[in-house]
Amino acid sequence: MTNWTQFETEAPDLAKAVATRFEAHKHHVLATLRKDGSPRVSGTEVEFYEGALLLGSMVGARKVQDLQRDPRFSLHSNPGHHTMDGGDAKISGRAQEILGERKLQILAHYPDEIPEADVFELGLDEVVLTTVDGDHLYVDLWRPGAEVTRFTK
């Protein structure tokens, strides 16, 4: 599993820009796969913790059940209100549930949050940041082990 630390190492500028987008707002949109394979979108929150991108959820939520059955996800940053300032970030990958002592450590780090939660580390298969500059649209794409590719429209 490619974690956030590897992304920061391979593409530090893009990682910083994407982290800024996810830290700018509390709520984002998560896409998971239902039992029948159809997509489900859910509101969610994510956190950066010790080099990992984490997703926490109420125990047994539908998105949790989806990720336990099929770990594939896509995460879309909250773009803000009527603006593309800082860009539009999207991450796709596979979630890995965190259990045991590590889960207890993470929950203890966030004492003001839900005391009981399901926690996942989000592994990265693809990261995209779309930005606008005047009349140009830029799409920066990163995949593990590859350079950042920029598409301009």
Side-chain angles (χ1 to χ4, degrees):
M1 177 174 85
T2 301
N3 64 15
W4 189 264
T5 300
Q6 181 179 340
F7 175 43
E8 285 180 315
T9 300
E10 292 185 13
D13 293 338
L14 183 58
K16 183 177 179 182
V18 170
T20 298
R21 293 311 309 137
F22 281 102
E23 292 170 337
H25 300 281
K26 186 173 181 106
H27 298 102
H28 307 286
V29 178
L30 176 74
T32 58
L33 295 170
R34 299 172 191 255
K35 194 179 214 177
D36 67 2
S38 63
R40 181 192 316 272
V41 293
S42 306
T44 198
E45 300 171 17
V46 295
E47 296 284 341
F48 296 93
Y49 176 78
E50 295 184 352
L53 178 58
L54 301 179
L55 180 145
S57 177
M58 291 172 39
V59 173
R62 295 285 188 195
K63 61 187 163 191
V64 167
Q65 294 172 19
D66 290 347
L67 291 172
Q68 288 170 334
R69 185 177 47 260
D70 185 329
R72 293 177 292 172
F73 74 89
S74 287
L75 179 67
H76 188 182
S77 68
N78 182 330
H81 185 68
H82 302 294
T83 180
M84 282 287 289
D85 290 344
D88 183 33
K90 296 177 271 305
I91 298 172
S92 295
R94 296 172 193 275
Q96 181 175 2
E97 190 167 10
I98 298 172
L99 302 167
E101 185 61 32
R102 184 162 182 237
K103 177 181 173 179
L104 295 175
Q105 290 171 345
I106 291 167
L107 293 176
H109 184 74
Y110 298 98
D112 296 332
E113 301 293 324
I114 303 168
E116 189 64 29
D118 286 318
V119 181
F120 294 83
E121 181 172 357
L122 300 180
L124 313 176
D125 291 339
E126 179 177 276
V127 179
V128 174
L129 181 68
T130 304
T131 54
V132 177
D133 179 16
D135 293 335
H136 295 95
L137 179 103
Y138 302 100
V139 178
D140 293 319
L141 166 67
W142 173 84
R143 291 188 176 122
E147 297 286 322
V148 174
T149 303
R150 173 168 269 192
F151 303 91
T152 304
K153 297 182 182 189

